[in-house]
């Protein structure tokens, strides 16, 4: 039998009310009137995913008992110890100090059980009364908490190391010596009630550990700046917000501050109010010696979980004993390094399914895990969960006139169509300018020749631009040149920057978007200096320039009329905690090819809603009415950047505020059809075609999954919207 939602066995009754059974643990977004969320369009196909079913004995149920003690005892540890005296006579149970969970009835007639224990410190006799509360329902918080504890216990028995929320296997670490990196393979696991059964999701993960320490990073910056005035600021820019790991206890911390006035020789107050230096503490506690007594200390503020555990003040760490995690910008730009990493981290479906099978074997053959699962009357399935998915027919992409394109199902690339393509609508590029450093002038001129060659095939008229060569490539020189260029009133400015480090790009966009608005196209000199594929680059740049001038390169057939599509996303700055950027885009025409966009900074959800999102939507509605002569009859809003924990806030506050915004614009509830969809890209669900090992592949773009692995409380589906050549394709989750 597989554990299903609703009542698990037909004959059990709920004796009392559980603490949380009245309130559902997951927010319900599925309409009560919805019978089935399965769609019908497209062809059916066999599909597997990275889920394993949790299989239980027939009539399996989770029972909750209340435990009372007389005399009354407050200390949870003492309460647990007194009950655990009777471990041998009671069936397998879980006890949190007040509530006991078990899968076996303690008494056939459900009468209370009375036990006695002797308290250690004063030898007093304590009477323990255990009363049945009832069967825990699948919608109850404790129900999923129970399965999460069982899963966590199994992961620990596999001797995996818990880093933040995921488990890694340091014994299977891979060392990339030449790049000073170490890879720990691991698993991201979660267990949850899905459509009709409880499923364990397992995704393959890799923790990237660097062999360089925080002190190495500080010394690197010192070398670069020569310890000048900007040294402290440069170190803070490089390190604040970074996650580090302390190898002596495999714990991770976030760098929130650098205390330049504290050093390892400073003293702190120990447990018994004794003074001790950090240096002495690490030598005695972890047998780690510190070679640089003058290094500053890094400060990490405790996480919420640590605060609950009693950690109150900031945590001081020694840079020399902290290893960096993740990759630096420099490392990400190293092609060879990324390729070497990708060989391990970008697993194709066959390799990924083999790794998942090994995980399943580990759980199902580990004797300790099996003993525990048997005691709970549970078992994990050995096979990946399989079901039917649907694949939608390819879209027809429209240009102007007779230009049409489509793509192969197995490869959604239609870039070859641009060799002869009439754009949906074009803007001519007659008066434009190019700014570049003198040393890149020859490569830039060659690129402009390529651009003028490809433009006619896209239906564009492109005249020769006016060149503005610069004596050097400092960002300040670019800004001065742009001031002169913009005065000439060009329709678009192309700027060739030396590299993709970001300083030049930020300066150019600040000038061309904020200070003196003009369309701008930035290209890096490194791309232009490679003659191979230059025509392909020129085609893509010409398409972008046409868009920026107000042209439309292509469109798709949209059956809906009087419809506006809104997109909203947020970006959180890791170095400046609390500062975020929110951006709204809204379609302005029937083909969804022209958009209005608004971006703003905010520091909290209330400000995001009242100062950013709602005014931006109001502005979009005004503009839509101005262009089309009427307001939309249907609005579909795609909302990114919402975690599961934020859904209640979105339901209660955000949607209500947006609807008020519509009313203020003159759209009444009965006039407007409003659909709000939460989009999640960073998910751990993966899908594979085929049903047998060795046959697994990536599903094609257009694959929709709306059953089995979706959630019963949501109106949700998964869509694969891209094709990949390497690794496993990532689906996107949509929660309507």
């Amino acid at each position: 039998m597989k554990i299903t939602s609703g009542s698990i066995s037909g004959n059990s009754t709920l004796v009392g009310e559980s603490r949380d059974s009245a309130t559902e643990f997951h927010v319900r977004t599925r309409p009560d009137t919805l019978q089935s969320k399965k769609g019908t369009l497209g062809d059916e196909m066999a599909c597997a995913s990275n889920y394993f079913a949790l299989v239980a004995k027939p009539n399996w149920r989770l029972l909750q008992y209340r435990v009372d003690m007389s005399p009354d005892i407050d200390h949870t540890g003492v309460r647990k110890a007194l009950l655990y005296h009777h471990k041998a006579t009671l069936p397998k149970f879980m006890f949190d100090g007040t509530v006991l969970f078990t899968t076996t009835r303690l008494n056939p007639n459900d009468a209370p059980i009375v036990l006695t224990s002797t308290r250690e410190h004063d030898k007093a006799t304590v009477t323990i009364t255990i009363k049945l509360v009832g069967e825990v329902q699948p919608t109850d918080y404790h129900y999923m908490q129970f399965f999460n504890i069982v899963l966590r216990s199994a992961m620990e028995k596999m001797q995996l190391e818990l880093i933040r929320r995921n488990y890694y296997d340091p014994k299977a670490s891979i060392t990339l010596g030449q790049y000073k990196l170490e890879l720990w393979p691991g698993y991201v696991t979660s267990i949850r009630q899905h459509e009709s059964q409880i499923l364990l999701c397992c995704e393959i993960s890799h923790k990237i550990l660097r062999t360089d320490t925080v002190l190495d990073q500080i010394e690197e910056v010192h070398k670069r700046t020569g310890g000048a005035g900007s040294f402290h600021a440069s170190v803070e820019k490089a390190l604040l917000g970074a996650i580090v790991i302390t190898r002596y206890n495999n714990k991770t911390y976030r760098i929130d501050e650098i205390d330049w006035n504290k050093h390892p020789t400073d003293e702190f107050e120990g447990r018994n109010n004794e003074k001790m230096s950090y240096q002495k503490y690490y030598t005695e506690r972890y047998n780690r010696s510190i070679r640089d007594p003058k290094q500053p200390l890094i400060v990490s503020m405790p996480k919420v979980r640590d605060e609950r555990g009693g950690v109150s003040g900031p945590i001081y760490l020694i840079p020399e004993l902290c290893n960096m995690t993740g990759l630096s910008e420099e490392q990400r730009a190293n092609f060879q390094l990324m390729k070497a990493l990708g060989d391990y981290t970008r697993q194709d479906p066959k390799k990924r399914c083999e790794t998942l099978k090994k995980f399943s074997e580990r759980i199902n053959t580990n004797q300790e895990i099996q003993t525990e699962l048997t005691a709970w009357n549970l078992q994990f399935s050995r096979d990946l969960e399989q079901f039917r998915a649907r694949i939608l027919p390819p879209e027809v992409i429209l240009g102007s006139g007779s230009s049409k394109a489509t793509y192969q199902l197995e490869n959604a690339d239609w870039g070859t169509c641009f060799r002869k393509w009439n754009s949906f609508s074009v803007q001519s590029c007659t008066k434009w300018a190019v700014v570049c450093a003198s040393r890149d002038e020859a490569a830039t001129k060659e690129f402009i020749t390529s651009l003028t060659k490809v433009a006619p095939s896209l239906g564009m008229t492109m005249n020769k631009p006016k060149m503005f060569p610069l004596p050097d490539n400092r960002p300040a020189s670019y800004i001065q040149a742009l001031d002169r260029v913009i005065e000439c009133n060009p329709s678009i400015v192309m700027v060739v920057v030396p590299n993709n480090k970001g300083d030049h790009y930020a300066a150019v966009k600040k000038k061309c978007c904020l200070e003196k608005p003009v369309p701008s196209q930035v290209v890096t000199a490194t791309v232009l200096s490679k003659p191979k594929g230059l025509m392909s680059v020129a085609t893509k740049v010409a398409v972008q320039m046409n868009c920026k001038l107000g042209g439309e390169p292509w469109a798709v057939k949209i059956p809906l009329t009087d419809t506006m599509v809104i997109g909203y996303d947020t970006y959180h700055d890791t170095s400046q905690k609390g500062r975020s950027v929110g951006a709204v885009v809204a379609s302005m025409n029937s083909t969804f090819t022209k958009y209005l966009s608004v971006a703003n900074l905010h520091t909290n959800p209330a400000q995001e809603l009242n100062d950013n999102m709602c005014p931006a939507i109001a502005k979009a509605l005004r503009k839509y009415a101005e262009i089309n002569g009427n307001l939309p009859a249907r609005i579909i809003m795609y909302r990114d950047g919402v975690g599961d924990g934020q859904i209640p806030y979105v339901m209660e506050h955000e949607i209500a505020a947006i609807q008020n915004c519509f009313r203020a614009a003159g759209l009444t509830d009965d006039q407007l059809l409003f659909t709000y969809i939460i989009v999640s890209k960073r998910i751990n669900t993966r899908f594979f075609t085929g049903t047998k090992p060795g046959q697994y592949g990536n599903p094609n773009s257009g694959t929709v999954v709306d059953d089995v692995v979706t959630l019963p409380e949501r109106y949700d589906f998964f869509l694969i919207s891209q094709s990949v050549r390497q690794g496993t394709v990532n689906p996107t989750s949509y929660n309507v």
Side-chain angles (χ1 to χ4, degrees), residues 54 92 150-151 154 363-364 368-380:
L54 188 61
K92 178 87 175 163
V150 170
L151 174 63
I363 275 195
N364 283 297
E368 265 187 283
I369 296 172
Q370 284 310 300
T371 307
E372 178 152 331
L373 288 175
T374 307
W376 291 120
N377 295 322
L378 293 171
Q379 186 67 44
F380 282 110

Side-chain angles (χ1 to χ4, degrees), residues 181 210 212 217 324-334 337-338:
L181 291 178
R210 286 161 44 184
D212 58 334
Q217 290 290 309
M324 303 295 292
T325 66
L327 295 171
S328 65
E329 289 303 316
E330 209 174 307
Q331 286 170 316
R332 282 180 199 283
N334 182 335
L337 181 154
M338 294 309 284

Side-chain angles (χ1 to χ4, degrees), residues 613-626:
M613 193 188 287
C614 289
I617 290 172
K619 183 179 178 182
L621 290 168
R622 282 197 303 275
K623 196 75 183 163
Y624 185 96
E626 191 184 302

Side-chain angles (χ1 to χ4, degrees), residues 313-553:
I315 302 160
Y316 287 92
L317 301 165
I318 313 286
E320 195 180 320
L321 302 181
C322 297
N323 284 67
M324 303 295 292
T325 66
L327 295 171
S328 65
E329 289 303 316
E330 209 174 307
Q331 286 170 316
R332 282 180 199 283
N334 182 335
F335 177 76
Q336 294 308 118
L337 181 154
M338 294 309 284
K339 188 173 178 295
L341 267 184
D343 293 343
Y344 297 102
T345 58
R346 262 201 309 268
Q347 296 184 347
D348 65 16
K350 277 184 195 166
K351 185 93 197 311
R352 191 174 289 261
C353 291
E354 278 168 27
T355 314
L356 288 168
K357 275 297 236 192
K358 278 182 195 159
F359 168 78
S360 162
E361 289 301 317
R362 275 177 91 167
I363 275 195
N364 283 297
T365 54
N366 181 305
Q367 207 45 55
E368 265 187 283
I369 296 172
Q370 284 310 300
T371 307
E372 178 152 331
L373 288 175
T374 307
W376 291 120
N377 295 322
L378 293 171
Q379 186 67 44
F380 282 110
S381 162
R382 283 174 180 262
D383 300 315
L384 298 175
E385 193 62 21
Q386 294 183 355
F387 45 86
R388 306 291 289 171
R390 291 178 294 121
I391 181 147
L392 304 177
E395 286 294 327
V396 176
I397 296 133
L398 310 170
S400 74
S402 60
S403 276
K404 265 186 191 174
T406 185
Y407 48 88
Q408 298 296 312
L409 266 178
E410 49 280 352
N411 179 12
D413 182 11
W414 44 281
T416 50
C417 306
F418 287 128
R419 288 181 187 143
K420 188 80 187 78
W421 180 259
N422 288 326
S423 296
F424 196 70
S425 78
V426 284
Q427 295 291 330
S428 56
C429 188
T430 47
K431 188 183 177 188
W432 63 296
V434 177
V435 177
C436 65
S438 302
R439 64 187 215 192
D440 302 321
E441 198 174 349
T444 305
K445 280 182 174 165
E446 200 173 316
F447 180 66
I448 289 162
T449 308
S450 303
L451 259 183
T452 46
K453 270 185 201 163
V454 298
S457 66
L458 296 168
M460 275 180 85
T461 309
M462 191 176 275
N463 292 355
K464 272 194 120 174
K466 189 171 181 191
M467 300 287 290
F468 288 81
L470 306 175
D472 56 60
N473 60 15
R474 290 179 307 118
S477 307
Y478 279 87
I479 297 308
Q480 286 160 8
L482 279 170
D483 281 330
R484 294 200 309 277
V485 171
I486 295 167
E487 274 169 20
C488 305
N489 210 13
S491 53
I492 190 165
V493 182
M494 179 182 280
V495 183
V496 180
V497 297
N499 51 45
N500 59 0
K501 286 218 172 112
D503 301 351
H504 293 79
Y505 183 82
V508 168
K509 289 297 177 186
K510 189 179 176 188
K511 174 64 72 182
C512 297
C513 293
L514 296 175
E515 293 170 18
K516 295 184 175 178
V518 63
S520 58
Q521 177 67 45
V522 178
V523 189
T524 55
T526 40
V527 172
L528 304 190
S529 59
K530 293 174 189 158
K532 193 181 169 205
L534 200 62
M535 289 303 268
S536 165
V537 172
T539 305
K540 285 169 183 164
V541 169
V543 169
Q544 281 187 48
M545 287 170 72
N546 183 25
C547 283
K548 288 172 182 178
L549 289 164
E552 301 152 279

